[in-house]
Amino acid sequence: LRFMGIIAFEYLDLDEDNVNEIFITADTSTNSRPYTELLCLKETDGVWKRVNLPRNEHDLNGFPFKITRGSDEFDFVISSDYISEPIHFDASIYFRDDESDNIDTIQRYRSNNYKEGDEVGFIAAWGIHAARTGSYNGRNCIIATHGIEGPYGHGMGRLDIYFAYNQQGDIEVLHVEHLK
């Protein structure tokens, strides 16, 4: 792990077995982009062991999500094997309607002739940007924040993933929310 400074060190039950786990987040200072390292430890038979954390396609901590075009031009759809229902959001607010050469114009987006199902965005690089503990429907969880980028790398909000663990140590995504 690349810990540069501890952000949080918490002791809470994340798998509903009435035994607390240790959850640590740390600043990595790895580059100019946000990247928070996570560590979750569970005591089993007197030995602390790492609990699995999500890994993205770059093998960094993070959830693999796809962002595709829905049935309407700016209906963007967030999907993943971790969630049963895709999340739709109106992406039109993230594009400017002008004739400039900027990367975030409606005109540039339209020039790509995206069709339903085409990838139109991605989860920002470097994995989880921030993480904190919280609760969802009364259950302790970790809330991991990812940045979302449009087809040219401009920001399109954030994605908060509320997750915990089952008693086998598998990740359970409890809720996912798109934030502006």
Side-chain angles (χ1 to χ4, degrees):
L1 296 174
R2 298 168 293 259
F3 284 8
M4 295 297 289
I6 302 296
I7 299 169
F9 187 100
E10 300 187 47
Y11 192 59
L12 72 163
D13 184 10
L14 291 167
D15 60 7
E16 297 189 307
D17 67 353
N18 297 316
V19 178
N20 289 343
E21 287 75 46
I22 295 173
F23 175 68
I24 302 168
T25 59
D27 181 18
T28 58
S29 295
T30 55
N31 57 44
S32 63
R33 307 278 306 244
Y35 177 68
T36 298
E37 192 65 74
L38 310 179
L39 178 62
C40 190
L41 303 170
K42 178 169 187 59
E43 185 180 21
T44 306
D45 299 324
V47 177
W48 288 96
K49 296 181 181 178
R50 275 187 182 181
V51 175
N52 290 330
L53 288 167
R55 305 304 288 179
N56 65 20
E57 62 277 6
H58 305 292
D59 201 34
L60 297 169
N61 65 31
F63 288 88
F65 282 89
K66 284 180 68 173
I67 302 169
T68 55
R69 183 187 158 192
S71 58
D72 295 328
E73 182 178 35
F74 290 101
D75 173 28
F76 282 24
V77 181
I78 301 169
S79 61
S80 172
D81 290 341
Y82 280 102
I83 58 176
S84 58
E85 292 292 321
I87 298 165
H88 293 255
F89 71 96
D90 178 3
S92 64
I93 64 171
Y94 299 104
F95 293 90
R96 293 195 283 174
D97 190 6
D98 65 38
E99 298 294 329
S100 70
D101 287 336
N102 291 319
I103 61 172
D104 60 348
T105 65
I106 289 173
Q107 292 75 9
R108 188 159 183 188
Y109 171 77
R110 286 181 174 152
S111 72
N112 287 300
N113 298 311
Y114 291 113
K115 308 262 184 288
E116 185 173 357
D118 288 348
E119 285 198 48
V120 290
F122 53 93
I123 298 298
W126 306 110
I128 293 171
H129 291 189
R132 64 192 185 282
T133 59
S135 67
Y136 184 75
N137 286 339
R139 184 168 175 193
N140 290 336
C141 66
I142 299 167
I143 305 167
T145 301
H146 286 289
I148 299 175
E149 296 185 20
Y152 310 107
H154 69 283
M156 290 198 321
R158 302 182 324 268
L159 196 61
D160 273 359
I161 302 106
Y162 295 66
F163 73 99
Y165 295 93
N166 63 24
Q167 292 196 6
Q168 292 73 41
D170 298 323
I171 293 168
E172 288 185 349
V173 172
L174 307 174
H175 179 69
V176 178
E177 184 175 1
H178 175 259
L179 306 165
K180 293 179 184 177

mmCIF file of all heavy atoms in Angstrom, residues 1-8 24-39 61 128-131:
data_model
loop_
_atom_site.group_PDB
_atom_site.id
_atom_site.type_symbol
_atom_site.label_atom_id
_atom_site.label_comp_id
_atom_site.label_asym_id
_atom_site.label_seq_id
_atom_site.Cartn_x
_atom_site.Cartn_y
_atom_site.Cartn_z
ATOM 1 N N LEU A 1 0.837 -1.184 0.000
ATOM 2 C CA LEU A 1 0.000 0.000 0.000
ATOM 3 C C LEU A 1 0.873 1.236 0.000
ATOM 4 O O LEU A 1 1.992 1.225 0.510
ATOM 5 C CB LEU A 1 -0.892 0.003 1.237
ATOM 6 C CG LEU A 1 -1.903 -1.129 1.330
ATOM 7 C CD1 LEU A 1 -2.625 -1.085 2.665
ATOM 8 C CD2 LEU A 1 -2.904 -1.081 0.211
ATOM 9 N N ARG A 2 0.338 2.316 -0.548
ATOM 10 C CA ARG A 2 1.087 3.570 -0.659
ATOM 11 C C ARG A 2 0.519 4.609 0.295
ATOM 12 O O ARG A 2 -0.028 5.603 -0.120
ATOM 13 C CB ARG A 2 1.014 4.064 -2.094
ATOM 14 C CG ARG A 2 1.642 3.108 -3.088
ATOM 15 C CD ARG A 2 1.276 3.502 -4.507
ATOM 16 N NE ARG A 2 -0.137 3.322 -4.748
ATOM 17 C CZ ARG A 2 -0.666 2.305 -5.377
ATOM 18 N NH1 ARG A 2 0.080 1.360 -5.859
ATOM 19 N NH2 ARG A 2 -1.965 2.217 -5.549
ATOM 20 N N PHE A 3 0.639 4.370 1.591
ATOM 21 C CA PHE A 3 0.109 5.309 2.581
ATOM 22 C C PHE A 3 1.053 6.482 2.759
ATOM 23 O O PHE A 3 2.232 6.311 2.996
ATOM 24 C CB PHE A 3 -0.057 4.627 3.936
ATOM 25 C CG PHE A 3 -1.248 3.717 4.054
ATOM 26 C CD1 PHE A 3 -2.033 3.395 2.971
ATOM 27 C CD2 PHE A 3 -1.585 3.174 5.280
ATOM 28 C CE1 PHE A 3 -3.129 2.560 3.088
ATOM 29 C CE2 PHE A 3 -2.675 2.334 5.413
ATOM 30 C CZ PHE A 3 -3.439 2.028 4.320
ATOM 31 N N MET A 4 0.520 7.694 2.632
ATOM 32 C CA MET A 4 1.291 8.904 2.906
ATOM 33 C C MET A 4 0.765 9.594 4.165
ATOM 34 O O MET A 4 1.508 10.247 4.860
ATOM 35 C CB MET A 4 1.219 9.875 1.729
ATOM 36 C CG MET A 4 1.877 9.351 0.466
ATOM 37 S SD MET A 4 3.626 9.065 0.653
ATOM 38 C CE MET A 4 4.218 10.728 0.734
ATOM 39 N N GLY A 5 -0.483 9.441 4.444
ATOM 40 C CA GLY A 5 -1.098 10.051 5.617
ATOM 41 C C GLY A 5 -2.448 9.426 5.857
ATOM 42 O O GLY A 5 -3.247 9.302 4.931
ATOM 43 N N ILE A 6 -2.716 8.997 7.068
ATOM 44 C CA ILE A 6 -3.983 8.358 7.404
ATOM 45 C C ILE A 6 -5.100 9.409 7.421
ATOM 46 O O ILE A 6 -4.972 10.456 8.044
ATOM 47 C CB ILE A 6 -3.897 7.656 8.777
ATOM 48 C CG1 ILE A 6 -2.783 6.609 8.790
ATOM 49 C CG2 ILE A 6 -5.240 7.060 9.174
ATOM 50 C CD1 ILE A 6 -2.977 5.467 7.843
ATOM 51 N N ILE A 7 -6.190 9.112 6.716
ATOM 52 C CA ILE A 7 -7.374 9.974 6.700
ATOM 53 C C ILE A 7 -8.364 9.490 7.753
ATOM 54 O O ILE A 7 -8.901 10.276 8.510
ATOM 55 C CB ILE A 7 -8.023 9.985 5.300
ATOM 56 C CG1 ILE A 7 -7.046 10.533 4.264
ATOM 57 C CG2 ILE A 7 -9.325 10.783 5.318
ATOM 58 C CD1 ILE A 7 -7.495 10.326 2.830
ATOM 59 N N ALA A 8 -8.612 8.181 7.774
ATOM 60 C CA ALA A 8 -9.574 7.617 8.726
ATOM 61 C C ALA A 8 -9.068 6.280 9.233
ATOM 62 O O ALA A 8 -8.431 5.519 8.496
ATOM 63 C CB ALA A 8 -10.936 7.438 8.067
ATOM 64 N N ILE A 24 -9.390 1.480 7.232
ATOM 65 C CA ILE A 24 -8.410 2.562 7.156
ATOM 66 C C ILE A 24 -8.458 3.164 5.759
ATOM 67 O O ILE A 24 -8.516 2.438 4.766
ATOM 68 C CB ILE A 24 -6.980 2.038 7.420
ATOM 69 C CG1 ILE A 24 -6.900 1.369 8.790
ATOM 70 C CG2 ILE A 24 -5.954 3.161 7.305
ATOM 71 C CD1 ILE A 24 -5.619 0.591 9.009
ATOM 72 N N THR A 25 -8.438 4.495 5.687
ATOM 73 C CA THR A 25 -8.231 5.173 4.411
ATOM 74 C C THR A 25 -6.999 6.048 4.559
ATOM 75 O O THR A 25 -6.703 6.543 5.646
ATOM 76 C CB THR A 25 -9.427 6.067 4.004
ATOM 77 O OG1 THR A 25 -9.642 7.050 4.990
ATOM 78 C CG2 THR A 25 -10.681 5.244 3.800
ATOM 79 N N ALA A 26 -6.293 6.211 3.450
ATOM 80 C CA ALA A 26 -5.064 6.994 3.498
ATOM 81 C C ALA A 26 -4.878 7.769 2.207
ATOM 82 O O ALA A 26 -5.252 7.315 1.125
ATOM 83 C CB ALA A 26 -3.860 6.085 3.721
ATOM 84 N N ASP A 27 -4.278 8.940 2.346
ATOM 85 C CA ASP A 27 -3.859 9.738 1.199
ATOM 86 C C ASP A 27 -2.619 9.058 0.628
ATOM 87 O O ASP A 27 -1.768 8.576 1.366
ATOM 88 C CB ASP A 27 -3.530 11.157 1.653
ATOM 89 C CG ASP A 27 -3.100 12.056 0.520
ATOM 90 O OD1 ASP A 27 -3.368 11.719 -0.651
ATOM 91 O OD2 ASP A 27 -2.495 13.104 0.808
ATOM 92 N N THR A 28 -2.511 9.037 -0.680
ATOM 93 C CA THR A 28 -1.366 8.382 -1.308
ATOM 94 C C THR A 28 -0.357 9.362 -1.881
ATOM 95 O O THR A 28 0.781 9.001 -2.106
ATOM 96 C CB THR A 28 -1.836 7.468 -2.456
ATOM 97 O OG1 THR A 28 -2.550 8.271 -3.400
ATOM 98 C CG2 THR A 28 -2.739 6.364 -1.936
ATOM 99 N N SER A 29 -0.797 10.585 -2.180
ATOM 100 C CA SER A 29 0.074 11.587 -2.809
ATOM 101 C C SER A 29 0.840 10.985 -3.980
ATOM 102 O O SER A 29 2.014 11.251 -4.192
ATOM 103 C CB SER A 29 1.048 12.176 -1.774
ATOM 104 O OG SER A 29 0.348 12.893 -0.799
ATOM 105 N N THR A 30 0.158 10.146 -4.761
ATOM 106 C CA THR A 30 0.816 9.459 -5.872
ATOM 107 C C THR A 30 0.959 10.335 -7.103
ATOM 108 O O THR A 30 1.822 10.087 -7.930
ATOM 109 C CB THR A 30 0.045 8.186 -6.270
ATOM 110 O OG1 THR A 30 -1.311 8.548 -6.556
ATOM 111 C CG2 THR A 30 0.097 7.154 -5.174
ATOM 112 N N ASN A 31 0.098 11.302 -7.262
ATOM 113 C CA ASN A 31 0.141 12.168 -8.438
ATOM 114 C C ASN A 31 -0.825 13.317 -8.225
ATOM 115 O O ASN A 31 -1.311 13.516 -7.132
ATOM 116 C CB ASN A 31 -0.195 11.372 -9.706
ATOM 117 C CG ASN A 31 -1.542 10.705 -9.596
ATOM 118 O OD1 ASN A 31 -2.507 11.311 -9.153
ATOM 119 N ND2 ASN A 31 -1.619 9.442 -9.956
ATOM 120 N N SER A 32 -1.129 14.017 -9.259
ATOM 121 C CA SER A 32 -2.024 15.169 -9.124
ATOM 122 C C SER A 32 -3.500 14.768 -9.121
ATOM 123 O O SER A 32 -4.352 15.593 -8.867
ATOM 124 C CB SER A 32 -1.769 16.158 -10.264
ATOM 125 O OG SER A 32 -2.085 15.546 -11.495
ATOM 126 N N ARG A 33 -3.805 13.512 -9.414
ATOM 127 C CA ARG A 33 -5.199 13.052 -9.434
ATOM 128 C C ARG A 33 -5.579 12.483 -8.075
ATOM 129 O O ARG A 33 -4.754 11.934 -7.368
ATOM 130 C CB ARG A 33 -5.388 11.958 -10.498
ATOM 131 C CG ARG A 33 -4.924 12.296 -11.884
ATOM 132 C CD ARG A 33 -5.860 13.094 -12.737
ATOM 133 N NE ARG A 33 -7.176 12.614 -12.918
ATOM 134 C CZ ARG A 33 -7.685 12.239 -14.067
ATOM 135 N NH1 ARG A 33 -6.947 12.219 -15.138
ATOM 136 N NH2 ARG A 33 -8.929 11.887 -14.145
ATOM 137 N N PRO A 34 -6.846 12.558 -7.705
ATOM 138 C CA PRO A 34 -7.259 11.997 -6.416
ATOM 139 C C PRO A 34 -7.211 10.464 -6.450
ATOM 140 O O PRO A 34 -7.626 9.841 -7.427
ATOM 141 C CB PRO A 34 -8.690 12.498 -6.260
ATOM 142 C CG PRO A 34 -9.147 12.846 -7.622
ATOM 143 C CD PRO A 34 -7.928 13.200 -8.423
ATOM 144 N N TYR A 35 -6.655 9.885 -5.419
ATOM 145 C CA TYR A 35 -6.633 8.433 -5.256
ATOM 146 C C TYR A 35 -6.475 8.144 -3.779
ATOM 147 O O TYR A 35 -5.505 8.565 -3.156
ATOM 148 C CB TYR A 35 -5.491 7.793 -6.043
ATOM 149 C CG TYR A 35 -5.370 6.296 -5.846
ATOM 150 C CD1 TYR A 35 -6.354 5.443 -6.334
ATOM 151 C CD2 TYR A 35 -4.300 5.735 -5.176
ATOM 152 C CE1 TYR A 35 -6.262 4.069 -6.163
ATOM 153 C CE2 TYR A 35 -4.194 4.361 -5.004
ATOM 154 C CZ TYR A 35 -5.178 3.539 -5.492
ATOM 155 O OH TYR A 35 -5.083 2.175 -5.315
ATOM 156 N N THR A 36 -7.442 7.475 -3.203
ATOM 157 C CA THR A 36 -7.421 7.124 -1.797
ATOM 158 C C THR A 36 -7.202 5.631 -1.673
ATOM 159 O O THR A 36 -7.888 4.841 -2.324
ATOM 160 C CB THR A 36 -8.757 7.525 -1.121
ATOM 161 O OG1 THR A 36 -8.894 8.945 -1.216
ATOM 162 C CG2 THR A 36 -8.793 7.110 0.325
ATOM 163 N N GLU A 37 -6.252 5.257 -0.864
ATOM 164 C CA GLU A 37 -5.996 3.836 -0.619
ATOM 165 C C GLU A 37 -6.889 3.372 0.519
ATOM 166 O O GLU A 37 -7.122 4.120 1.482
ATOM 167 C CB GLU A 37 -4.527 3.623 -0.259
ATOM 168 C CG GLU A 37 -4.098 2.175 -0.264
ATOM 169 C CD GLU A 37 -4.165 1.528 -1.630
ATOM 170 O OE1 GLU A 37 -3.312 1.820 -2.469
ATOM 171 O OE2 GLU A 37 -5.081 0.703 -1.859
ATOM 172 N N LEU A 38 -7.415 2.169 0.401
ATOM 173 C CA LEU A 38 -8.288 1.597 1.414
ATOM 174 C C LEU A 38 -7.660 0.317 1.950
ATOM 175 O O LEU A 38 -6.996 -0.417 1.213
ATOM 176 C CB LEU A 38 -9.651 1.215 0.832
ATOM 177 C CG LEU A 38 -10.415 2.219 0.002
ATOM 178 C CD1 LEU A 38 -11.717 1.608 -0.478
ATOM 179 C CD2 LEU A 38 -10.692 3.460 0.790
ATOM 180 N N LEU A 39 -7.919 0.052 3.200
ATOM 181 C CA LEU A 39 -7.487 -1.195 3.823
ATOM 182 C C LEU A 39 -8.575 -1.597 4.803
ATOM 183 O O LEU A 39 -9.027 -0.783 5.609
ATOM 184 C CB LEU A 39 -6.151 -1.005 4.548
ATOM 185 C CG LEU A 39 -5.589 -2.207 5.294
ATOM 186 C CD1 LEU A 39 -5.297 -3.351 4.328
ATOM 187 C CD2 LEU A 39 -4.328 -1.809 6.039
ATOM 188 N N ASN A 61 -7.874 0.025 -6.506
ATOM 189 C CA ASN A 61 -9.132 -0.113 -5.786
ATOM 190 C C ASN A 61 -10.197 0.668 -6.545
ATOM 191 O O ASN A 61 -9.984 1.781 -6.970
ATOM 192 C CB ASN A 61 -9.001 0.340 -4.328
ATOM 193 C CG ASN A 61 -8.695 1.815 -4.167
ATOM 194 O OD1 ASN A 61 -9.091 2.644 -4.975
ATOM 195 N ND2 ASN A 61 -7.998 2.156 -3.116
ATOM 196 N N ILE A 128 -10.728 4.731 -6.559
ATOM 197 C CA ILE A 128 -11.575 5.436 -5.611
ATOM 198 C C ILE A 128 -10.928 6.762 -5.239
ATOM 199 O O ILE A 128 -9.779 6.812 -4.833
ATOM 200 C CB ILE A 128 -11.824 4.558 -4.368
ATOM 201 C CG1 ILE A 128 -12.663 3.341 -4.784
ATOM 202 C CG2 ILE A 128 -12.511 5.350 -3.264
ATOM 203 C CD1 ILE A 128 -12.809 2.291 -3.706
ATOM 204 N N HIS A 129 -11.683 7.840 -5.396
ATOM 205 C CA HIS A 129 -11.170 9.178 -5.098
ATOM 206 C C HIS A 129 -11.276 9.512 -3.621
ATOM 207 O O HIS A 129 -10.464 10.268 -3.090
ATOM 208 C CB HIS A 129 -11.939 10.231 -5.894
ATOM 209 C CG HIS A 129 -11.661 10.151 -7.360
ATOM 210 N ND1 HIS A 129 -12.088 11.105 -8.231
ATOM 211 C CD2 HIS A 129 -10.995 9.244 -8.118
ATOM 212 C CE1 HIS A 129 -11.705 10.795 -9.462
ATOM 213 N NE2 HIS A 129 -11.058 9.669 -9.405
ATOM 214 N N ALA A 130 -12.289 8.991 -2.961
ATOM 215 C CA ALA A 130 -12.488 9.240 -1.529
ATOM 216 C C ALA A 130 -13.333 8.106 -0.977
ATOM 217 O O ALA A 130 -14.106 7.477 -1.711
ATOM 218 C CB ALA A 130 -13.185 10.576 -1.305
ATOM 219 N N ALA A 131 -13.190 7.832 0.306
ATOM 220 C CA ALA A 131 -14.003 6.800 0.959
ATOM 221 C C ALA A 131 -14.235 7.200 2.409
ATOM 222 O O ALA A 131 -13.384 7.829 3.036
ATOM 223 C CB ALA A 131 -13.328 5.444 0.877
#
